[in-house]
Amino acid sequence: MTFDNRELALAQHLADEAGKILRRHWRTGLNVEQKADASPVTLADRECEEHLRTLIEKAFPDHGIIGEEHGNLRSDALSQWVIDPIDGTRSFIAGYPIFATLIALTKDGVPVVGIIDQPITRERWTGVKGDSATCNGEPVTASRTQSLTQAVIATTSTYYFTQEEAALFATFKHQCAQTVLGGDAYAYAMLASGQLDIVIDAGMKPYDFCALVPVIEGAGGIITDWNGAALTPASAGRVIACANEKLHEQALKLIQSATI
Amino acid sequence: MTFDNRELALAQHLADEAGKILRRHWRTGLNVEQKADASPVTLADRECEEHLRTLIEKAFPDHGIIGEEHGNLRSDALSQWVIDPIDGTRSFIAGYPIFATLIALTKDGVPVVGIIDQPITRERWTGVKGDSATCNGEPVTASRTQSLTQAVIATTSTYYFTQEEAALFATFKHQCAQTVLGGDAYAYAMLASGQLDIVIDAGMKPYDFCALVPVIEGAGGIITDWNGAALTPASAGRVIACANEKLHEQALKLIQSATI
């Protein structure tokens, strides 16, 4: 089951359109007192998702859509667009240019196209099943780091962990060379680009992880759930990405030895 | 006690020179297996600090220097250059463009010039005592958010806290509208630009916080230690920055009510 060029072109177009909207809303929260409701990030998120949904419906009226703000459409369709206009809303709020727009296309549950787009730094990682992943057209390669003790590990936030998950992450932190907090999807892009060796997260939703799969795999990395199973829109939200098979084996062993 | 134009020009020149070196080392860690020692970040840090020290010595041979890698020089001098080539080394390692070069000049213990420079996104915040702070030449203003419950708060990493400090931060997290992790000096720059309302950190060193003072104050914000005292190179490392006096008052009250 694969994708065609029209579908890949739409994925790129969706990322372009999202970028235009997000750059317009970026850092406009100056002196807005009511940040809690109808914040710039919420407005940008909603406007963006509505626009992307319209474009998808127009191009492929029989495809399904999975999105954060407006829920699921045609859940039984073979082709599903899984989109998140702003992954890393806290980074967006803070004004850190490390949030991302995520666009994925899955076929029969398999992510076949994935885009991680950073519209401020204008970096775009594209992955398509069975081919090399790229950043702005240039191939990217995950690192060759072979052991946990030399690995740089990241997680988005320790706040997203249960107590048991936090204890497991503390074990990783203790074993690995360096620990980085923050990053959301941008951390997975950095793994694809060889900067980070392991990224581990819990509580992720399909629109948080589907787009990551073709990018990580196309860079030579491995991304699975915490049991080592392939990620599909139906996966629970515990995700581990590693730069290569050797690291993935060691990481899974560490997970299996923990009480989670 | 104030600065002269030659000193301000040197501060800008130091940031320019640091940027050139850091852009050269940025994201070159691909497939480097021995990340723990002599990592790209360490090499960049050392090369940068040596170069900046040479430039300072040449321009102002009687000024003191406080830096991370090569220690202190002429500690009794009235004018002290307080520099950190890479604040946010973990962000640098991860490939996140939110690390910063920090350049400060203190006179008799008072930070009179401060620069926060992000060489990848090419954003530079400049603060000089008694004048408006700027980002790339444009004035910046901290937010008017008036209460903790509407505030967005940030800290660099919960790992830098003692148990008591972590408990205090949890109280802030509970009271504030949003919590952001990560950012280092970039978080303080975002406070100056009105994105974040409160930044709180512990365990900071003079080269981490001296450059922040003129930037935050020049944007209308307040930055002190956790007792509300002005920051000098001799301050202990507990730092709180707030967008305005009202928030600062509330934040200090919360700190005073805690056991730290």
Side-chain angles (χ1 to χ4, degrees), chain A residues 27 30-31 33 90 93-94 96 123 143-144 179 182 186-187 190 193 195, chain B residues 27 30-31 33 90 93-94 96 123 143-144 179 182 186-187 190 193 195:
Chain A
R27 292 191 188 166
L30 304 173
N31 300 325
E33 290 188 20
R90 283 184 175 74
I93 290 170
Y96 302 169
E123 298 167 292
S143 90
R144 291 186 289 109
T179 306
Y186 202 77
M190 286 299 117
S193 284
Q195 290 296 126
Chain B
R27 292 192 188 165
L30 303 174
N31 301 326
E33 291 188 19
R90 283 182 174 77
I93 290 171
Y96 301 169
E123 297 167 293
S143 90
R144 291 186 290 110
T179 305
Y186 202 77
M190 285 300 117
S193 283
Q195 290 296 126

PDB file of all heavy atoms in Angstrom, chain A residues 27 30-31 33 90 93-94 96 123 143-144 179 182 186-187 190 193 195, chain B residues 27 30-31 33 90 93-94 96 123 143-144 179 182 186-187 190 193 195:
ATOM      1  N   ARG A  27       4.144  35.133  17.900  1.00  0.00           N
ATOM      2  CA  ARG A  27       4.560  36.242  18.772  1.00  0.00           C
ATOM      3  C   ARG A  27       3.650  37.466  18.688  1.00  0.00           C
ATOM      4  O   ARG A  27       4.116  38.619  18.721  1.00  0.00           O
ATOM      5  CB  ARG A  27       6.011  36.656  18.485  1.00  0.00           C
ATOM      6  CG  ARG A  27       7.009  35.578  18.896  1.00  0.00           C
ATOM      7  CD  ARG A  27       8.433  36.084  18.868  1.00  0.00           C
ATOM      8  NE  ARG A  27       9.394  35.000  19.069  1.00  0.00           N
ATOM      9  CZ  ARG A  27      10.697  35.085  18.835  1.00  0.00           C
ATOM     10  NH1 ARG A  27      11.203  36.214  18.391  1.00  0.00           N
ATOM     11  NH2 ARG A  27      11.481  34.050  19.053  1.00  0.00           N
ATOM     12  N   LEU A  30       1.617  39.696  22.583  1.00  0.00           N
ATOM     13  CA  LEU A  30       2.121  40.791  23.412  1.00  0.00           C
ATOM     14  C   LEU A  30       0.993  41.489  24.141  1.00  0.00           C
ATOM     15  O   LEU A  30       0.027  41.935  23.538  1.00  0.00           O
ATOM     16  CB  LEU A  30       2.856  41.815  22.536  1.00  0.00           C
ATOM     17  CG  LEU A  30       3.999  41.241  21.703  1.00  0.00           C
ATOM     18  CD1 LEU A  30       4.542  42.302  20.761  1.00  0.00           C
ATOM     19  CD2 LEU A  30       5.100  40.702  22.582  1.00  0.00           C
ATOM     20  N   ASN A  31       1.143  41.555  25.434  1.00  0.00           N
ATOM     21  CA  ASN A  31       0.224  42.317  26.269  1.00  0.00           C
ATOM     22  C   ASN A  31      -1.227  41.855  26.175  1.00  0.00           C
ATOM     23  O   ASN A  31      -2.148  42.614  26.437  1.00  0.00           O
ATOM     24  CB  ASN A  31       0.321  43.811  25.947  1.00  0.00           C
ATOM     25  CG  ASN A  31       1.727  44.309  26.186  1.00  0.00           C
ATOM     26  OD1 ASN A  31       2.397  43.833  27.110  1.00  0.00           O
ATOM     27  ND2 ASN A  31       2.184  45.227  25.377  1.00  0.00           N
ATOM     28  N   GLU A  33      -3.975  40.079  27.907  1.00  0.00           N
ATOM     29  CA  GLU A  33      -4.115  39.691  29.305  1.00  0.00           C
ATOM     30  C   GLU A  33      -4.867  38.381  29.497  1.00  0.00           C
ATOM     31  O   GLU A  33      -4.571  37.618  30.397  1.00  0.00           O
ATOM     32  CB  GLU A  33      -4.763  40.829  30.101  1.00  0.00           C
ATOM     33  CG  GLU A  33      -3.780  41.985  30.204  1.00  0.00           C
ATOM     34  CD  GLU A  33      -4.222  43.083  31.123  1.00  0.00           C
ATOM     35  OE1 GLU A  33      -5.079  42.825  31.976  1.00  0.00           O
ATOM     36  OE2 GLU A  33      -3.699  44.190  30.988  1.00  0.00           O
ATOM     37  N   ARG A  90       3.245  24.848  23.900  1.00  0.00           N
ATOM     38  CA  ARG A  90       3.970  25.629  24.918  1.00  0.00           C
ATOM     39  C   ARG A  90       5.142  26.387  24.316  1.00  0.00           C
ATOM     40  O   ARG A  90       5.408  27.528  24.679  1.00  0.00           O
ATOM     41  CB  ARG A  90       4.429  24.725  26.057  1.00  0.00           C
ATOM     42  CG  ARG A  90       3.291  24.385  26.991  1.00  0.00           C
ATOM     43  CD  ARG A  90       3.753  23.562  28.180  1.00  0.00           C
ATOM     44  NE  ARG A  90       2.653  23.364  29.095  1.00  0.00           N
ATOM     45  CZ  ARG A  90       1.631  22.529  28.885  1.00  0.00           C
ATOM     46  NH1 ARG A  90       1.599  21.802  27.787  1.00  0.00           N
ATOM     47  NH2 ARG A  90       0.660  22.426  29.778  1.00  0.00           N
ATOM     48  N   ILE A  93       3.628  29.329  22.485  1.00  0.00           N
ATOM     49  CA  ILE A  93       3.256  30.370  23.447  1.00  0.00           C
ATOM     50  C   ILE A  93       4.490  31.139  23.912  1.00  0.00           C
ATOM     51  O   ILE A  93       4.498  32.366  23.988  1.00  0.00           O
ATOM     52  CB  ILE A  93       2.559  29.742  24.681  1.00  0.00           C
ATOM     53  CG1 ILE A  93       1.174  29.215  24.304  1.00  0.00           C
ATOM     54  CG2 ILE A  93       2.476  30.738  25.843  1.00  0.00           C
ATOM     55  CD1 ILE A  93       0.531  28.363  25.399  1.00  0.00           C
ATOM     56  N   ALA A  94       5.546  30.395  24.244  1.00  0.00           N
ATOM     57  CA  ALA A  94       6.751  31.011  24.798  1.00  0.00           C
ATOM     58  C   ALA A  94       7.520  31.823  23.764  1.00  0.00           C
ATOM     59  O   ALA A  94       8.350  32.658  24.118  1.00  0.00           O
ATOM     60  CB  ALA A  94       7.669  29.931  25.378  1.00  0.00           C
ATOM     61  N   TYR A  96       9.351  30.229  21.388  1.00  0.00           N
ATOM     62  CA  TYR A  96      10.520  29.423  20.993  1.00  0.00           C
ATOM     63  C   TYR A  96      10.253  28.816  19.607  1.00  0.00           C
ATOM     64  O   TYR A  96       9.257  28.103  19.441  1.00  0.00           O
ATOM     65  CB  TYR A  96      10.759  28.260  21.964  1.00  0.00           C
ATOM     66  CG  TYR A  96      10.977  28.622  23.416  1.00  0.00           C
ATOM     67  CD1 TYR A  96      10.965  27.624  24.396  1.00  0.00           C
ATOM     68  CD2 TYR A  96      11.213  29.928  23.823  1.00  0.00           C
ATOM     69  CE1 TYR A  96      11.182  27.917  25.736  1.00  0.00           C
ATOM     70  CE2 TYR A  96      11.420  30.227  25.162  1.00  0.00           C
ATOM     71  CZ  TYR A  96      11.399  29.225  26.119  1.00  0.00           C
ATOM     72  OH  TYR A  96      11.599  29.505  27.445  1.00  0.00           O
ATOM     73  N   GLU A 123      12.451  25.135   8.308  1.00  0.00           N
ATOM     74  CA  GLU A 123      13.031  23.801   8.125  1.00  0.00           C
ATOM     75  C   GLU A 123      11.882  22.823   7.922  1.00  0.00           C
ATOM     76  O   GLU A 123      10.923  22.837   8.690  1.00  0.00           O
ATOM     77  CB  GLU A 123      13.792  23.365   9.376  1.00  0.00           C
ATOM     78  CG  GLU A 123      14.982  24.253   9.731  1.00  0.00           C
ATOM     79  CD  GLU A 123      15.485  23.945  11.136  1.00  0.00           C
ATOM     80  OE1 GLU A 123      14.738  24.253  12.108  1.00  0.00           O
ATOM     81  OE2 GLU A 123      16.583  23.416  11.270  1.00  0.00           O
ATOM     82  N   SER A 143      22.103   9.172  13.950  1.00  0.00           N
ATOM     83  CA  SER A 143      23.476   8.957  14.418  1.00  0.00           C
ATOM     84  C   SER A 143      23.846   7.482  14.488  1.00  0.00           C
ATOM     85  O   SER A 143      22.988   6.606  14.479  1.00  0.00           O
ATOM     86  CB  SER A 143      23.657   9.590  15.795  1.00  0.00           C
ATOM     87  OG  SER A 143      23.346   8.654  16.808  1.00  0.00           O
ATOM     88  N   ARG A 144      25.148   7.203  14.569  1.00  0.00           N
ATOM     89  CA  ARG A 144      25.650   5.836  14.695  1.00  0.00           C
ATOM     90  C   ARG A 144      26.005   5.510  16.149  1.00  0.00           C
ATOM     91  O   ARG A 144      26.663   4.504  16.407  1.00  0.00           O
ATOM     92  CB  ARG A 144      26.875   5.642  13.804  1.00  0.00           C
ATOM     93  CG  ARG A 144      26.565   5.669  12.307  1.00  0.00           C
ATOM     94  CD  ARG A 144      27.802   5.328  11.472  1.00  0.00           C
ATOM     95  NE  ARG A 144      28.798   6.400  11.505  1.00  0.00           N
ATOM     96  CZ  ARG A 144      29.972   6.333  12.132  1.00  0.00           C
ATOM     97  NH1 ARG A 144      30.310   5.245  12.806  1.00  0.00           N
ATOM     98  NH2 ARG A 144      30.817   7.348  12.111  1.00  0.00           N
ATOM     99  N   THR A 179      20.958  14.528  28.929  1.00  0.00           N
ATOM    100  CA  THR A 179      19.488  14.543  28.874  1.00  0.00           C
ATOM    101  C   THR A 179      19.002  15.919  28.455  1.00  0.00           C
ATOM    102  O   THR A 179      19.439  16.921  29.021  1.00  0.00           O
ATOM    103  CB  THR A 179      18.886  14.212  30.259  1.00  0.00           C
ATOM    104  OG1 THR A 179      19.435  12.977  30.698  1.00  0.00           O
ATOM    105  CG2 THR A 179      17.373  14.089  30.186  1.00  0.00           C
ATOM    106  N   GLY A 182      12.243  19.135  26.583  1.00  0.00           N
ATOM    107  CA  GLY A 182      11.592  20.031  25.628  1.00  0.00           C
ATOM    108  C   GLY A 182      11.831  19.580  24.204  1.00  0.00           C
ATOM    109  O   GLY A 182      12.724  18.776  23.934  1.00  0.00           O
ATOM    110  N   TYR A 186       9.964  18.429  17.305  1.00  0.00           N
ATOM    111  CA  TYR A 186      11.273  18.944  16.873  1.00  0.00           C
ATOM    112  C   TYR A 186      12.397  18.045  17.374  1.00  0.00           C
ATOM    113  O   TYR A 186      13.426  17.896  16.704  1.00  0.00           O
ATOM    114  CB  TYR A 186      11.451  20.377  17.384  1.00  0.00           C
ATOM    115  CG  TYR A 186      12.477  21.200  16.615  1.00  0.00           C
ATOM    116  CD1 TYR A 186      12.168  21.732  15.369  1.00  0.00           C
ATOM    117  CD2 TYR A 186      13.740  21.451  17.134  1.00  0.00           C
ATOM    118  CE1 TYR A 186      13.099  22.490  14.665  1.00  0.00           C
ATOM    119  CE2 TYR A 186      14.680  22.208  16.442  1.00  0.00           C
ATOM    120  CZ  TYR A 186      14.345  22.730  15.205  1.00  0.00           C
ATOM    121  OH  TYR A 186      15.267  23.482  14.504  1.00  0.00           O
ATOM    122  N   ALA A 187      12.208  17.418  18.536  1.00  0.00           N
ATOM    123  CA  ALA A 187      13.215  16.485  19.054  1.00  0.00           C
ATOM    124  C   ALA A 187      13.362  15.295  18.111  1.00  0.00           C
ATOM    125  O   ALA A 187      14.484  14.835  17.840  1.00  0.00           O
ATOM    126  CB  ALA A 187      12.822  16.020  20.452  1.00  0.00           C
ATOM    127  N   MET A 190      15.288  16.276  15.146  1.00  0.00           N
ATOM    128  CA  MET A 190      16.711  16.345  15.483  1.00  0.00           C
ATOM    129  C   MET A 190      17.323  14.950  15.585  1.00  0.00           C
ATOM    130  O   MET A 190      18.506  14.772  15.313  1.00  0.00           O
ATOM    131  CB  MET A 190      16.910  17.120  16.792  1.00  0.00           C
ATOM    132  CG  MET A 190      16.719  18.621  16.639  1.00  0.00           C
ATOM    133  SD  MET A 190      17.921  19.318  15.462  1.00  0.00           S
ATOM    134  CE  MET A 190      16.806  19.919  14.213  1.00  0.00           C
ATOM    135  N   SER A 193      18.053  14.044  12.120  1.00  0.00           N
ATOM    136  CA  SER A 193      19.208  14.794  11.625  1.00  0.00           C
ATOM    137  C   SER A 193      20.505  14.446  12.354  1.00  0.00           C
ATOM    138  O   SER A 193      21.518  15.098  12.146  1.00  0.00           O
ATOM    139  CB  SER A 193      18.949  16.296  11.730  1.00  0.00           C
ATOM    140  OG  SER A 193      18.073  16.712  10.704  1.00  0.00           O
ATOM    141  N   GLN A 195      21.315  14.641  15.631  1.00  0.00           N
ATOM    142  CA  GLN A 195      21.694  15.420  16.811  1.00  0.00           C
ATOM    143  C   GLN A 195      21.373  14.677  18.109  1.00  0.00           C
ATOM    144  O   GLN A 195      22.154  14.701  19.042  1.00  0.00           O
ATOM    145  CB  GLN A 195      20.964  16.760  16.821  1.00  0.00           C
ATOM    146  CG  GLN A 195      21.417  17.722  15.756  1.00  0.00           C
ATOM    147  CD  GLN A 195      22.863  18.147  15.925  1.00  0.00           C
ATOM    148  OE1 GLN A 195      23.675  18.025  15.006  1.00  0.00           O
ATOM    149  NE2 GLN A 195      23.212  18.607  17.106  1.00  0.00           N
TER     150      GLN A 195
ATOM    151  N   ARG B  27      25.405  22.047  14.839  1.00  0.00           N
ATOM    152  CA  ARG B  27      24.939  20.807  14.200  1.00  0.00           C
ATOM    153  C   ARG B  27      26.023  20.082  13.414  1.00  0.00           C
ATOM    154  O   ARG B  27      25.757  19.540  12.338  1.00  0.00           O
ATOM    155  CB  ARG B  27      23.730  21.082  13.291  1.00  0.00           C
ATOM    156  CG  ARG B  27      22.500  21.479  14.090  1.00  0.00           C
ATOM    157  CD  ARG B  27      21.248  21.456  13.228  1.00  0.00           C
ATOM    158  NE  ARG B  27      20.107  22.020  13.935  1.00  0.00           N
ATOM    159  CZ  ARG B  27      18.967  22.393  13.349  1.00  0.00           C
ATOM    160  NH1 ARG B  27      18.837  22.271  12.047  1.00  0.00           N
ATOM    161  NH2 ARG B  27      17.974  22.884  14.066  1.00  0.00           N
ATOM    162  N   LEU B  30      27.142  15.328  14.009  1.00  0.00           N
ATOM    163  CA  LEU B  30      26.587  14.142  13.357  1.00  0.00           C
ATOM    164  C   LEU B  30      27.549  12.971  13.469  1.00  0.00           C
ATOM    165  O   LEU B  30      28.708  13.064  13.092  1.00  0.00           O
ATOM    166  CB  LEU B  30      26.337  14.437  11.876  1.00  0.00           C
ATOM    167  CG  LEU B  30      25.422  15.624  11.588  1.00  0.00           C
ATOM    168  CD1 LEU B  30      25.384  15.900  10.098  1.00  0.00           C
ATOM    169  CD2 LEU B  30      24.034  15.339  12.115  1.00  0.00           C
ATOM    170  N   ASN B  31      27.031  11.870  13.966  1.00  0.00           N
ATOM    171  CA  ASN B  31      27.786  10.626  14.011  1.00  0.00           C
ATOM    172  C   ASN B  31      29.097  10.714  14.790  1.00  0.00           C
ATOM    173  O   ASN B  31      30.008   9.934  14.574  1.00  0.00           O
ATOM    174  CB  ASN B  31      28.069  10.110  12.599  1.00  0.00           C
ATOM    175  CG  ASN B  31      26.769   9.874  11.849  1.00  0.00           C
ATOM    176  OD1 ASN B  31      25.772   9.490  12.471  1.00  0.00           O
ATOM    177  ND2 ASN B  31      26.753  10.117  10.557  1.00  0.00           N
ATOM    178  N   GLU B  33      30.826   9.750  17.930  1.00  0.00           N
ATOM    179  CA  GLU B  33      30.463   8.766  18.947  1.00  0.00           C
ATOM    180  C   GLU B  33      30.883   9.177  20.355  1.00  0.00           C
ATOM    181  O   GLU B  33      30.200   8.874  21.318  1.00  0.00           O
ATOM    182  CB  GLU B  33      31.029   7.394  18.577  1.00  0.00           C
ATOM    183  CG  GLU B  33      30.285   6.854  17.353  1.00  0.00           C
ATOM    184  CD  GLU B  33      30.613   5.422  17.012  1.00  0.00           C
ATOM    185  OE1 GLU B  33      31.124   4.712  17.888  1.00  0.00           O
ATOM    186  OE2 GLU B  33      30.351   5.032  15.865  1.00  0.00           O
ATOM    187  N   ARG B  90      22.647  22.296  26.457  1.00  0.00           N
ATOM    188  CA  ARG B  90      21.802  21.155  26.063  1.00  0.00           C
ATOM    189  C   ARG B  90      21.002  21.468  24.796  1.00  0.00           C
ATOM    190  O   ARG B  90      20.840  20.611  23.938  1.00  0.00           O
ATOM    191  CB  ARG B  90      20.868  20.751  27.207  1.00  0.00           C
ATOM    192  CG  ARG B  90      21.583  19.969  28.272  1.00  0.00           C
ATOM    193  CD  ARG B  90      20.665  19.520  29.386  1.00  0.00           C
ATOM    194  NE  ARG B  90      21.388  18.666  30.304  1.00  0.00           N
ATOM    195  CZ  ARG B  90      22.254  19.096  31.216  1.00  0.00           C
ATOM    196  NH1 ARG B  90      22.510  20.390  31.326  1.00  0.00           N
ATOM    197  NH2 ARG B  90      22.886  18.246  32.005  1.00  0.00           N
ATOM    198  N   ILE B  93      23.495  21.176  21.958  1.00  0.00           N
ATOM    199  CA  ILE B  93      23.735  19.760  21.651  1.00  0.00           C
ATOM    200  C   ILE B  93      22.571  19.184  20.855  1.00  0.00           C
ATOM    201  O   ILE B  93      22.756  18.478  19.867  1.00  0.00           O
ATOM    202  CB  ILE B  93      23.900  18.947  22.960  1.00  0.00           C
ATOM    203  CG1 ILE B  93      25.205  19.305  23.655  1.00  0.00           C
ATOM    204  CG2 ILE B  93      23.828  17.442  22.682  1.00  0.00           C
ATOM    205  CD1 ILE B  93      25.342  18.720  25.058  1.00  0.00           C
ATOM    206  N   ALA B  94      21.345  19.492  21.305  1.00  0.00           N
ATOM    207  CA  ALA B  94      20.154  18.912  20.689  1.00  0.00           C
ATOM    208  C   ALA B  94      19.890  19.485  19.290  1.00  0.00           C
ATOM    209  O   ALA B  94      19.143  18.905  18.515  1.00  0.00           O
ATOM    210  CB  ALA B  94      18.934  19.146  21.573  1.00  0.00           C
ATOM    211  N   TYR B  96      18.613  22.613  18.963  1.00  0.00           N
ATOM    212  CA  TYR B  96      17.493  23.565  19.101  1.00  0.00           C
ATOM    213  C   TYR B  96      18.050  24.993  19.043  1.00  0.00           C
ATOM    214  O   TYR B  96      18.912  25.347  19.858  1.00  0.00           O
ATOM    215  CB  TYR B  96      16.787  23.403  20.452  1.00  0.00           C
ATOM    216  CG  TYR B  96      16.199  22.045  20.759  1.00  0.00           C
ATOM    217  CD1 TYR B  96      15.745  21.756  22.042  1.00  0.00           C
ATOM    218  CD2 TYR B  96      16.086  21.051  19.793  1.00  0.00           C
ATOM    219  CE1 TYR B  96      15.195  20.516  22.358  1.00  0.00           C
ATOM    220  CE2 TYR B  96      15.538  19.805  20.101  1.00  0.00           C
ATOM    221  CZ  TYR B  96      15.101  19.543  21.380  1.00  0.00           C
ATOM    222  OH  TYR B  96      14.567  18.324  21.703  1.00  0.00           O
ATOM    223  N   GLU B 123      18.797  36.740  16.212  1.00  0.00           N
ATOM    224  CA  GLU B 123      18.076  37.682  17.068  1.00  0.00           C
ATOM    225  C   GLU B 123      19.048  38.163  18.138  1.00  0.00           C
ATOM    226  O   GLU B 123      19.717  37.345  18.766  1.00  0.00           O
ATOM    227  CB  GLU B 123      16.908  36.984  17.771  1.00  0.00           C
ATOM    228  CG  GLU B 123      15.833  36.445  16.845  1.00  0.00           C
ATOM    229  CD  GLU B 123      14.893  35.511  17.587  1.00  0.00           C
ATOM    230  OE1 GLU B 123      15.338  34.421  18.018  1.00  0.00           O
ATOM    231  OE2 GLU B 123      13.727  35.857  17.746  1.00  0.00           O
ATOM    232  N   SER B 143       5.299  42.063  29.213  1.00  0.00           N
ATOM    233  CA  SER B 143       3.827  42.020  29.186  1.00  0.00           C
ATOM    234  C   SER B 143       3.210  42.810  30.333  1.00  0.00           C
ATOM    235  O   SER B 143       3.862  43.127  31.322  1.00  0.00           O
ATOM    236  CB  SER B 143       3.341  40.576  29.242  1.00  0.00           C
ATOM    237  OG  SER B 143       3.159  40.164  30.577  1.00  0.00           O
ATOM    238  N   ARG B 144       1.913  43.117  30.212  1.00  0.00           N
ATOM    239  CA  ARG B 144       1.169  43.807  31.254  1.00  0.00           C
ATOM    240  C   ARG B 144       0.341  42.838  32.099  1.00  0.00           C
ATOM    241  O   ARG B 144      -0.518  43.275  32.860  1.00  0.00           O
ATOM    242  CB  ARG B 144       0.245  44.864  30.630  1.00  0.00           C
ATOM    243  CG  ARG B 144       1.005  46.042  30.009  1.00  0.00           C
ATOM    244  CD  ARG B 144       0.043  47.134  29.533  1.00  0.00           C
ATOM    245  NE  ARG B 144      -0.724  46.702  28.362  1.00  0.00           N
ATOM    246  CZ  ARG B 144      -2.028  46.424  28.363  1.00  0.00           C
ATOM    247  NH1 ARG B 144      -2.736  46.528  29.480  1.00  0.00           N
ATOM    248  NH2 ARG B 144      -2.632  46.036  27.247  1.00  0.00           N
ATOM    249  N   THR B 179       2.747  26.583  32.031  1.00  0.00           N
ATOM    250  CA  THR B 179       4.141  26.366  32.438  1.00  0.00           C
ATOM    251  C   THR B 179       4.960  25.901  31.244  1.00  0.00           C
ATOM    252  O   THR B 179       4.553  24.991  30.531  1.00  0.00           O
ATOM    253  CB  THR B 179       4.218  25.281  33.529  1.00  0.00           C
ATOM    254  OG1 THR B 179       3.360  25.660  34.596  1.00  0.00           O
ATOM    255  CG2 THR B 179       5.642  25.131  34.050  1.00  0.00           C
ATOM    256  N   GLY B 182      12.417  24.618  29.732  1.00  0.00           N
ATOM    257  CA  GLY B 182      13.481  24.829  28.754  1.00  0.00           C
ATOM    258  C   GLY B 182      13.610  26.289  28.395  1.00  0.00           C
ATOM    259  O   GLY B 182      12.706  27.095  28.662  1.00  0.00           O
ATOM    260  N   TYR B 186      17.244  32.311  26.712  1.00  0.00           N
ATOM    261  CA  TYR B 186      16.244  32.630  25.698  1.00  0.00           C
ATOM    262  C   TYR B 186      14.876  32.883  26.338  1.00  0.00           C
ATOM    263  O   TYR B 186      14.097  33.703  25.834  1.00  0.00           O
ATOM    264  CB  TYR B 186      16.159  31.491  24.680  1.00  0.00           C
ATOM    265  CG  TYR B 186      15.581  31.878  23.340  1.00  0.00           C
ATOM    266  CD1 TYR B 186      16.335  32.579  22.408  1.00  0.00           C
ATOM    267  CD2 TYR B 186      14.283  31.525  22.982  1.00  0.00           C
ATOM    268  CE1 TYR B 186      15.813  32.931  21.171  1.00  0.00           C
ATOM    269  CE2 TYR B 186      13.747  31.871  21.748  1.00  0.00           C
ATOM    270  CZ  TYR B 186      14.517  32.574  20.847  1.00  0.00           C
ATOM    271  OH  TYR B 186      13.998  32.919  19.615  1.00  0.00           O
ATOM    272  N   ALA B 187      14.592  32.206  27.455  1.00  0.00           N
ATOM    273  CA  ALA B 187      13.329  32.436  28.177  1.00  0.00           C
ATOM    274  C   ALA B 187      13.272  33.882  28.681  1.00  0.00           C
ATOM    275  O   ALA B 187      12.224  34.531  28.607  1.00  0.00           O
ATOM    276  CB  ALA B 187      13.199  31.457  29.338  1.00  0.00           C
ATOM    277  N   MET B 190      12.538  36.163  25.903  1.00  0.00           N
ATOM    278  CA  MET B 190      11.104  36.088  25.571  1.00  0.00           C
ATOM    279  C   MET B 190      10.262  36.839  26.604  1.00  0.00           C
ATOM    280  O   MET B 190       9.200  37.361  26.266  1.00  0.00           O
ATOM    281  CB  MET B 190      10.667  34.621  25.483  1.00  0.00           C
ATOM    282  CG  MET B 190      11.143  33.931  24.228  1.00  0.00           C
ATOM    283  SD  MET B 190      10.510  34.742  22.718  1.00  0.00           S
ATOM    284  CE  MET B 190      12.031  35.288  21.973  1.00  0.00           C
ATOM    285  N   SER B 193      10.482  40.340  25.531  1.00  0.00           N
ATOM    286  CA  SER B 193       9.674  40.561  24.327  1.00  0.00           C
ATOM    287  C   SER B 193       8.183  40.357  24.556  1.00  0.00           C
ATOM    288  O   SER B 193       7.400  40.349  23.604  1.00  0.00           O
ATOM    289  CB  SER B 193      10.156  39.642  23.201  1.00  0.00           C
ATOM    290  OG  SER B 193      11.354  40.147  22.645  1.00  0.00           O
ATOM    291  N   GLN B 195       6.467  37.671  25.660  1.00  0.00           N
ATOM    292  CA  GLN B 195       5.880  36.338  25.453  1.00  0.00           C
ATOM    293  C   GLN B 195       5.651  35.595  26.766  1.00  0.00           C
ATOM    294  O   GLN B 195       4.651  34.929  26.951  1.00  0.00           O
ATOM    295  CB  GLN B 195       6.793  35.501  24.560  1.00  0.00           C
ATOM    296  CG  GLN B 195       6.856  35.954  23.125  1.00  0.00           C
ATOM    297  CD  GLN B 195       5.518  35.835  22.421  1.00  0.00           C
ATOM    298  OE1 GLN B 195       5.020  36.798  21.851  1.00  0.00           O
ATOM    299  NE2 GLN B 195       4.922  34.669  22.477  1.00  0.00           N
TER     300      GLN B 195
END
